[in-house]
Amino acid sequence: MNIEKLEAMLAKGQDSSLLRMGLAQAYLDADQVADAISHLLKCLELDADYTAAWKLLGKARLAAGDIQGARQDWQRGLAVSQRRGDRQAEKEIGVFLRRLDKQFPSE
């Protein structure tokens, strides 16, 4: 779905964590990282247990050059996934954190 259609849904008052996640992914795909981050933050405001949003927020922050922010987001996402028993998200986020630590060990 394109950004304009998703934004139109939002403008009509159809706000939800799923819509915000879709908007964030669309903006990230369009290299509009700041907009993606903004929608992910709102998504997590609506549903702090949305593990996929934590994963994507870390990726978006990394794309924006915010290494420490990405690390913090993934650490929070890891805690959420462990608490919820979401083993797949836990594995994926663990991989992201290990890669981040290898690439940026001192940050």
Side-chain angles (χ1 to χ4, degrees), residues 11-92:
K12 289 180 183 176
Q14 299 176 8
D15 200 1
S16 70
S17 57
L18 185 61
L19 177 58
R20 294 291 183 151
M21 185 70 171
L23 275 162
Q25 185 65 64
Y27 277 116
L28 197 55
D29 291 345
D31 293 323
Q32 296 179 36
V33 178
D35 290 322
I37 291 171
S38 175
H39 284 291
L40 285 163
L41 291 173
K42 183 60 180 176
C43 173
L44 288 163
E45 194 177 297
L46 295 169
D47 182 1
D49 287 344
Y50 200 154
T51 53
W54 286 111
K55 290 189 307 185
L56 194 59
L57 182 57
K59 287 182 179 183
R61 292 224 204 252
L62 189 59
D66 183 0
I67 295 147
Q68 191 57 33
R71 181 175 280 115
Q72 290 172 351
D73 293 333
W74 284 334
Q75 288 169 339
R76 287 191 65 191
L78 183 63
V80 168
S81 65
Q82 289 169 337
R83 182 174 45 79
R84 295 187 68 226
D86 186 346
R87 299 291 178 232
Q88 183 61 36
E90 183 179 348
K91 287 178 187 177
E92 290 175 21

